[in-house]
């Protein structure tokens, strides 16, 4: 385990994070428990300001960058990471520029601009936006913020998992969406230090499965990046989080695009919450994993709520399989 990413660093991040945020709800849902066959809880990270878990990491990182005297940052994002950096930068009076791919989620772009960030729509996908961001950073001398290869982000996100252990000390398993991997790395950092028996399951879109392929092959891989679900829309694995979670996952589930849409529908039906594609994916993944989750106390992470009306409508018209 790296010294700059650790359980102690997560505990230190709690002081920073809780100066800005409140702990999120961990709620047990009887109907989901019956459906999956265990005692099923949702960790409602979708209820954060900005609508996703990523604000935890953004707050912790911007706190440290402010102490270093950083005046301006640039990052690339499909949405939630950008919202996190924009919101946290505003809190610490740091200028933020966010590069997003063309045709990105307009709900997320609006959220970034509402907190004062400069949003640049460049490139056809996540990787092209990242390349533009690197060139822009060199030109203007901003501090480049990676979406996942940032220790302070991972430590900040880890506060989610210390919260879970305080509310549910005997948790058996957790299911997490995995795009860039900061959350999976944070879960490993906390859970495997406190209780190595906790099973960590990951889920990703089959249409953008770079992280899955990296995990399967044991080395960083690239893949096509075609999913509509922004939280999954990465075309390559990221070295820092991958190095932490690669040998620590109990299993990794891939979902088709219709299955991700079904997850949004199931989230509304069972929890009365609107979740985005990646945020609702853990329900569908748990259904696929139900034989392994029988009788266990299971936490499903609802990572974000920033979905477009068009996708919500599409989800409601997608035939449910569960």
């Amino acid at each position: 385990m790296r010294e700059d990413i650790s359980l102690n660093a997560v505990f230190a991040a709690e002081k920073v994070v809780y100066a800005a945020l409140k702990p999120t709800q961990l709620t047990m849902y009887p109907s989901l428990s019956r459906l999956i066959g265990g005692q099923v809880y949702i960790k409602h990270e979708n209820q954060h300001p900005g609508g996703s878990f990523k604000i935890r990491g953004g707050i912790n990182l911007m706190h440290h960058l402010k102490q270093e005297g950083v005046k301006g940052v640039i990052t690339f994002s499909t949405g939630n990471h950008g919202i996190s950096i924009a919101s946290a930068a505003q809190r610490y009076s740091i200028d933020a520029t966010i590069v997003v791919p063309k045709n990105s989620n307009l709900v997320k772009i609006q959220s970034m601009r509402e907190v004062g960030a400069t949003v640049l729509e460049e490139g056809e996908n996540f990787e092209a936006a990242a390349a533009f961001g690197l060139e822009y950073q060199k030109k203007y001398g901003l501090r480049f913020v990676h979406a996942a290869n940032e220790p302070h982000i991972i430590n900040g996100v880890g506060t989610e998992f210390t919260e879970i252990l305080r509310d549910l000390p005997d948790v058996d398993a957790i299911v997490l969406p995995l795009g860039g991997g900061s959350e999976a790395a944070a879960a490993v950092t906390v859970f495997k230090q406190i209780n190595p028996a906790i099973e960590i399951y990951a889920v990703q879109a089959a249409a953008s499965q770079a992280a899955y392929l990296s995990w399967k092959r044991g080395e960083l891989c690239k893949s096509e990046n075609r999913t509509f679900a922004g939280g999954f829309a990465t075309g390559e694995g990221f070295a820092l989080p991958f190095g932490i979670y690669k040998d620590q996952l109990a299993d990794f589930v891939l979902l088709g695009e219709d299955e991700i849409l079904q997850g949004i529908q199931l989230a509304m039906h069972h929890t009365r919450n609107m979740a985005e594609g990646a945020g609702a994916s853990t329900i569908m993944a748990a259904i696929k994993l139900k034989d392994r989750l029988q009788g266990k106390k299971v936490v499903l992470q609802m990572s974000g709520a920033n979905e477009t009306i068009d996708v919500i409508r599409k989800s409601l018209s997608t035939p449910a399989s569960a």
Side-chain angles (χ1 to χ4, degrees), residues 35-37 201 285-296:
L35 177 64
I36 293 166
Y201 296 91
I287 292 169
K288 288 194 166 190
L289 292 165
K290 63 190 302 183
D291 288 346
R292 299 180 66 172
L293 300 177
Q294 292 297 301
K296 295 180 178 179

Side-chain angles (χ1 to χ4, degrees), residues 60-113:
N60 195 47
L61 176 61
M62 290 302 121
H63 165 81
H64 287 279
L65 294 186
K66 183 69 172 181
Q67 292 184 326
E68 295 171 16
V70 171
K71 304 294 184 183
V73 298
I74 185 169
T75 193
F76 56 92
S77 176
T78 55
N80 285 338
H81 167 68
I83 294 170
S84 162
I85 296 304
S87 301
Q90 182 191 50
R91 177 178 178 84
Y92 289 99
S93 300
I94 296 172
D95 293 333
T97 300
I98 317 296
V99 185
V100 302
K102 295 175 182 176
N103 302 312
S104 290
N105 182 318
L106 294 177
V107 173
K108 296 179 180 181
I109 291 174
Q110 180 181 351
S111 295
M112 295 175 212
R113 288 181 170 145

Side-chain angles (χ1 to χ4, degrees), residues 261-262 265 268 310-320:
L261 289 168
Q262 289 170 30
Q265 184 183 135
M268 284 188 277
D310 286 345
V311 169
I312 296 297
R313 289 195 186 104
K314 190 173 182 180
S315 76
L316 294 174
S317 63
T318 300

Side-chain angles (χ1 to χ4, degrees), residues 133-145:
L134 285 169
E135 290 302 315
Y136 193 94
Q137 182 269 337
K138 293 175 186 176
K139 183 176 181 180
Y140 292 101
L142 302 172
R143 199 306 194 157
F144 187 79
V145 174

Side-chain angles (χ1 to χ4, degrees), residues 70-71 77 89 111 113 151 172-173 188 192 231 249 255 273-275 277 316-317 321:
V70 171
K71 304 294 184 183
S77 176
S111 295
R113 288 181 170 145
D172 295 306
V188 168
K192 296 304 181 180
L249 302 181
L255 297 180
N273 277 252
M274 188 185 81
L316 294 174
S317 63
S321 61

